[in-house]
Amino acid sequence: MTALDTVTTATTAVDRTREPDLRFAVRGIPGPQGSKDFKGFSRAGHAILVESSKLVKPWRQDVAVAAVDAMDGHGSWRALTGPVHIVIEFFLPRPKSQPRTRRTLPITSPDLDKLVRATGDALKTAGVYRDDALVTDITTRKRYVVQDPALGHPWELPGAGAVISVFALTEDETWADQPLDLAVSTRFPVPTLPQPIVDFAVHTPLFEADSGFGQVFTVSAGATDGQAMQVARRVLAIVDKRESAAGPAVTLVIEGGVTRLSSVTGRPDTALQSTVSDIATRGPGVGVSVLLADAIR
């Protein structure tokens, strides 16, 4: 299976209003174009400037070759002569200094605009479109390669490179334009609780202990996740040992629990989320409940 097959397979379930006119993956290390090094003066007195990055030339070649292969596979591709929207997702090698146990963003060089410049020039050279000026819309981002499946999306490239989509635009389609900041803001997810916690835990603005809650285990808002896990494991051990709700009531109270246990859609559950979900799901049958309190007094 090719890199593009992996990306395509992972996104086939997504409802698209329109498919790209051309879509392909490029394997290689993206190189930025634009920064120049001064190498002196020519005999005519002109400054000699060369590209700073040695990755520019091989990257442009990688893009051009991948684009030509994609156009050949298209069967009837002709260089676009009208407005073009290009979408480029760059996947950069992860430096050894970056942690491998969580997702991080590449906020150092290469600059995103310089990656786009090198890639756009290669697309024009390959014959995807006749002139750079035809590109009226660009959607792009850069991410690090994520090799641990538990930390990545199935549609992300498993190695360095880019996924490029090309859309031929029409003037009529611009009637569907909306403010770009609105289009961007809709992509930011709202953190939510895992579904088992939504279904079985109880939320309260204020928790005040009384005899009705039985044996109470509390996690304060200032507790670390490690400390919270210690408490949750003690409660889970009770759930595991009990066979019915005949014993005394047990309540796990988590202060600030809605915030602590919420995460963005798509992110794998943390150990704490999984443990509390297990307690919330199985606990009611054996007299154990989970209470998410905004405050404890």
Side-chain angles (χ1 to χ4, degrees):
M1 180 178 285
T2 67
L4 185 58
D5 289 334
T6 301
V7 173
T8 302
T9 300
T11 57
T12 50
V14 178
D15 291 331
R16 298 176 184 266
T17 57
R18 178 182 163 188
E19 291 292 332
D21 294 284
L22 192 69
R23 189 168 189 247
F24 58 95
V26 185
R27 300 303 297 268
I29 300 178
Q33 177 179 322
S35 298
K36 301 288 195 298
D37 286 337
F38 174 69
K39 296 298 183 179
F41 292 97
S42 67
R43 291 182 179 179
H46 301 298
I48 301 174
L49 302 175
V50 298
E51 289 288 344
S52 299
S53 175
K54 296 180 180 179
L55 297 173
V56 178
K57 186 174 180 180
W59 172 247
R60 285 193 302 220
Q61 186 174 24
D62 289 338
V63 173
V65 169
V68 169
D69 286 345
M71 290 185 291
D72 288 345
H74 186 278
S76 59
W77 187 267
R78 292 180 179 273
L80 299 176
T81 58
V84 178
H85 184 166
I86 58 175
V87 181
I88 312 172
E89 297 183 75
F90 294 102
F91 297 93
L92 308 178
R94 179 182 292 270
K96 293 182 178 179
S97 60
Q98 290 293 316
R100 296 182 179 274
T101 56
R102 60 185 175 88
R103 293 178 68 89
T104 58
L105 291 172
I107 56 174
T108 57
S109 60
D111 297 351
L112 183 58
D113 61 330
K114 293 175 182 177
L115 292 174
V116 171
R117 188 180 307 173
T119 306
D121 283 354
L123 293 176
K124 187 259 184 182
T125 300
V128 174
Y129 41 78
R130 288 283 178 85
D131 193 280
D132 293 331
L134 295 172
V135 179
T136 61
D137 297 64
I138 298 176
T139 303
T140 189
R141 64 185 172 200
K142 60 177 181 176
R143 296 288 188 266
Y144 283 133
V145 172
V146 179
Q147 295 177 329
D148 183 351
L151 297 176
H153 298 290
W155 45 263
E156 292 179 314
L157 287 185
V163 175
I164 301 173
S165 300
V166 180
F167 296 84
L169 295 180
T170 66
E171 285 77 3
D172 277 350
E173 287 174 317
T174 63
W175 285 108
D177 285 354
Q178 59 179 318
L180 286 178
D181 62 334
L182 177 61
V184 171
S185 65
T186 58
R187 71 168 290 273
F188 294 110
V190 177
T192 58
L193 289 166
Q195 196 58 46
I197 297 178
V198 173
D199 292 340
F200 298 104
V202 177
H203 172 256
T204 182
L206 178 65
F207 173 77
E208 295 182 283
D210 60 41
S211 58
F213 290 97
Q215 185 180 9
V216 177
F217 294 81
T218 61
V219 175
S220 68
T224 66
D225 280 352
Q227 292 168 333
M229 272 297 296
Q230 289 179 353
V231 176
R233 286 195 184 105
R234 290 172 62 191
V235 177
L236 183 61
I238 295 174
V239 173
D240 290 337
K241 290 180 180 179
R242 287 191 172 184
E243 296 181 354
S244 70
V250 174
T251 305
L252 170 62
V253 183
I254 304 176
E255 185 178 25
V258 172
T259 299
R260 182 188 286 269
L261 296 172
S262 294
S263 60
V264 298
T265 301
R267 177 179 176 177
D269 285 351
T270 64
L272 180 60
Q273 286 175 315
S274 297
T275 301
V276 174
S277 292
D278 196 7
I279 296 170
T281 302
R282 298 194 292 129
V286 292
V288 179
S289 58
V290 175
L291 188 65
L292 307 183
D294 295 338
I296 295 177
R297 185 166 62 190

